[in-house]
Amino acid sequence: AVKVMHESFQRDMDYCRRFHAEALSASRLDHPNLTRVLDFGQEPDGLLYLAMEYLDGQSLRDVLNEAPNQRLPFARVAQLMIQVCSGLTHAHARKVVHRDIKPENIVLTNGLDDDGRETEIAKVCDFGIAHGAMADQAAAFAGTPEYMAPEQLRGEPPDVQSDVYACGVVLYELLTGRVPIE
């Protein structure tokens, strides 16, 4: 899958610098529960691109929307959130913060477990690259308000705890069918 950045960002040197830095960080992540970045760059005409592994699946939001009462069974939720947390632990150990964990940024695909059995695999995608263009203060506030930690809403820069908070909101929503604070 190839993500192409909007033309307006191509002339913003600060955006290009941050895009390259964040894309480089994301490309160094290699975990089965994170979408792999395969390549990134800028074409001679200024086009910024990010090539990622193609995910043949559904977003967790789509799965929730199809579920009875927009809730998932506890066992499935536990399995999915363990995978999400595992992927984020890998990213956090490499000082990469996602900044926008929400059901839309988790894709469920089919794959094989360690024993070769078919299983559902959660893949965290969209690692904050789009937020890199903003000034640090604006980047702190970038995200989806229902999933943002209180300190992030106060304008403090997002960090590991911001992702942990957002995971808690997603967990709550998967089990109850609604976010804790609207």
Side-chain angles (χ1 to χ4, degrees):
V2 178
K3 181 184 269 188
V4 178
M5 298 303 154
H6 192 272
E7 184 179 327
S8 64
F9 293 126
Q10 296 171 12
R11 291 176 288 285
D12 183 338
M13 297 311 287
D14 188 47
Y15 178 84
C16 292
R17 181 185 55 76
R18 289 176 188 243
F19 171 84
H20 283 290
E22 295 219 24
L24 181 61
S25 291
S27 71
R28 292 182 176 152
L29 300 177
D30 186 20
H31 190 276
N33 300 113
L34 302 178
T35 305
R36 290 182 304 146
V37 172
L38 305 172
D39 192 19
F40 62 92
Q42 188 167 18
E43 292 293 309
D45 66 357
L47 178 78
L48 290 167
Y49 68 90
L50 184 67
M52 302 165 288
E53 74 175 301
Y54 174 72
L55 299 178
D56 186 14
Q58 284 186 292
S59 75
L60 190 50
R61 169 64 61 216
D62 291 338
V63 171
L64 262 179
N65 288 341
E66 295 170 1
N69 299 319
Q70 296 190 332
R71 297 182 213 178
L72 300 179
F74 177 80
R76 185 177 183 192
V77 170
Q79 184 61 26
L80 294 174
M81 290 308 295
I82 286 169
Q83 293 178 55
V84 169
C85 290
S86 180
L88 287 173
T89 297
H90 176 83
H92 293 160
R94 285 146 188 83
K95 304 202 180 331
V96 177
V97 177
H98 188 282
R99 299 186 189 118
D100 197 21
I101 295 294
K102 58 185 176 182
E104 291 83 352
N105 288 337
I106 301 168
V107 174
L108 305 183
T109 65
N110 292 319
L112 301 175
D113 66 12
D114 292 338
D115 297 321
R117 294 183 300 247
E118 285 198 26
T119 190
E120 187 172 49
I121 298 173
K123 294 264 194 178
V124 179
C125 44
D126 287 343
F127 262 84
I129 290 172
H131 302 311
M134 302 172 201
D136 291 338
Q137 186 68 15
F141 197 75
T144 306
E146 291 85 359
Y147 301 91
M148 292 170 68
E151 58 274 13
Q152 199 175 354
L153 288 166
R154 286 192 302 267
E156 297 172 23
D159 61 13
V160 169
Q161 287 115 357
S162 307
D163 284 351
V164 172
Y165 180 90
C167 282
V169 174
V170 171
L171 175 64
Y172 185 93
E173 182 178 12
L174 295 176
L175 293 172
T176 67
R178 61 185 178 85
V179 293
I181 301 170
E182 294 183 13

